[in-house]
Amino acid sequence: MSVGGSNLDAMELKLSSEFASRIEYLPVTGSTNSDLLSFAVNNPELWTDFSVLLTENQNSGRGRLDRQWVSEPGAGLAVSVLLKPTSFGMSSFGWLPLLAGLAMKNAVSSLVEGTPVSLKWPNDVLVAGEKISGLLAEVLPSGDGVVIGAGLNLRQSKEQLPIENATSLALHGVTNFELDDVLVRYLASFKRLYEELSDAKGDAEVSGLRQAVQDASSTIGSNVKVLLPDGTDFSGKGVGLDATGRLLVAMSDPLEIRAVAAGDIQHLRQ
């Protein structure tokens, strides 16, 4: 089957293909992010803005902070989206992974009814406080685009999940679905949010993205511990996002606001 000029190995993605300039399904791969980065560099005329690469069998995936990101074949979705915006540049790229996280949160919310779904900064999606999705963004070597990879737990049992505080769609009663039914919800929301940000020339305040991410975030208003890449940590309360998407944490001693650009966030008991 050919959709958007790509071989999908007979995978039916008719709904999702409406939102992608090119979409390709791989039966197995090491990393959709690594593959899409390579395709975008080597064949830029074929892999244009909002090209999509996906698999249900990723065996060498990477998450944030170089964590391993692997699931059993068919148990999870790995999907990467290439963004090459023309109306804004790298100064606004920090909002793109938050935008993708919001899109995944919207997709999961539409599938899991009656259960709270939220964002943990920067872009983990939580269902009833447990992680169901995480994202990783990587800038093209040319600096004119970003590949955003997302992993979504689909069919895992509790025992199959890599961490204790994780969940899947199946664990919330979502079982009878085609991959296209899930993917289209993510891509449709992603495309809408991306177009709104593009129309606003990358201004997250004007597009409404900043407020939407804050409203969806369970980190905002929570007591948190921030683990920084250099091994240090501090605690405070998440109070908002700055103009570039950094997490603002209010310290109690001394009273100050710290902006976090990168780090691991732990939600503390209230």
Side-chain angles (χ1 to χ4, degrees), residues 196-212:
E196 290 172 352
L197 185 64
S198 296
D199 289 344
K201 296 181 171 54
D203 190 320
E205 192 70 44
V206 172
S207 71
L209 178 62
R210 180 181 179 184
Q211 189 61 53

Side-chain angles (χ1 to χ4, degrees), residues 9-270:
D9 284 309
M11 169 64 68
E12 292 286 348
L13 297 170
K14 292 180 179 178
L15 298 175
S16 300
S17 67
E18 295 295 320
F19 296 94
S21 61
R22 177 185 179 96
I23 188 166
E24 185 164 338
Y25 175 87
L26 300 177
V28 61
T29 188
S31 164
T32 56
N33 255 32
S34 295
D35 289 343
L36 190 50
L37 280 165
S38 177
F39 296 160
V41 170
N42 295 318
N43 295 287
E45 70 283 355
L46 297 179
W47 295 87
T48 56
D49 186 43
F50 223 83
S51 291
V52 178
L53 189 67
L54 67 141
T55 187
E56 293 175 281
N57 189 357
Q58 177 173 267
N59 52 39
S60 298
R62 292 167 291 115
R64 291 181 58 250
L65 306 179
D66 289 326
R67 294 192 179 101
Q68 192 177 32
W69 187 355
V70 180
S71 63
E72 293 297 317
L77 167 66
V79 53
S80 294
V81 179
L82 171 64
L83 304 177
K84 299 190 73 174
T86 56
S87 69
F88 61 89
M90 192 175 290
S91 61
S92 296
F93 281 8
W95 281 104
L96 294 175
L98 279 73
L99 183 155
L102 179 61
M104 185 63 79
K105 182 265 180 188
N106 292 341
V108 172
S109 294
S110 71
L111 291 161
V112 179
E113 299 180 359
T115 305
V117 181
S118 67
L119 285 174
K120 188 181 83 165
W121 188 90
N123 45 39
D124 284 350
V125 180
L126 308 181
V127 179
E130 295 185 318
K131 182 175 177 178
I132 197 169
S133 175
L135 291 92
L136 175 69
E138 298 181 85
V139 179
L140 296 182
S142 57
D144 64 346
V146 180
V147 169
I148 300 181
L152 177 64
N153 297 331
L154 299 176
R155 302 179 177 89
Q156 295 98 327
S157 66
K158 197 67 175 176
E159 293 71 30
Q160 292 174 318
L161 291 163
I163 59 175
E164 182 179 348
N165 191 38
T167 191
S168 67
L169 290 180
L171 290 172
H172 288 274
V174 184
T175 54
N176 295 321
F177 58 83
E178 299 294 331
L179 187 63
D180 198 22
D181 297 330
V182 175
L183 181 61
V184 69
R185 296 166 192 257
Y186 175 54
L187 295 183
S189 181
F190 198 148
K191 190 71 174 289
R192 175 181 60 81
L193 293 167
Y194 179 53
E195 289 177 345
E196 290 172 352
L197 185 64
S198 296
D199 289 344
K201 296 181 171 54
D203 190 320
E205 192 70 44
V206 172
S207 71
L209 178 62
R210 180 181 179 184
Q211 189 61 53
V213 172
Q214 289 189 150
D215 290 345
S217 176
S218 53
T219 303
I220 308 302
S222 292
N223 295 323
V224 299
K225 182 176 183 179
V226 181
L227 308 174
L228 297 174
D230 64 4
T232 63
D233 64 76
F234 66 92
S235 298
K237 184 175 183 178
V239 293
L241 303 173
D242 72 3
T244 63
R246 295 184 301 175
L247 176 66
L248 300 176
V249 179
M251 313 288 290
S252 56
D253 187 23
L255 184 61
E256 65 171 313
I257 302 290
R258 291 186 64 172
V260 181
D264 211 15
I265 305 298
Q266 295 179 356
H267 289 182
L268 304 177
R269 291 183 182 276
Q270 300 297 314

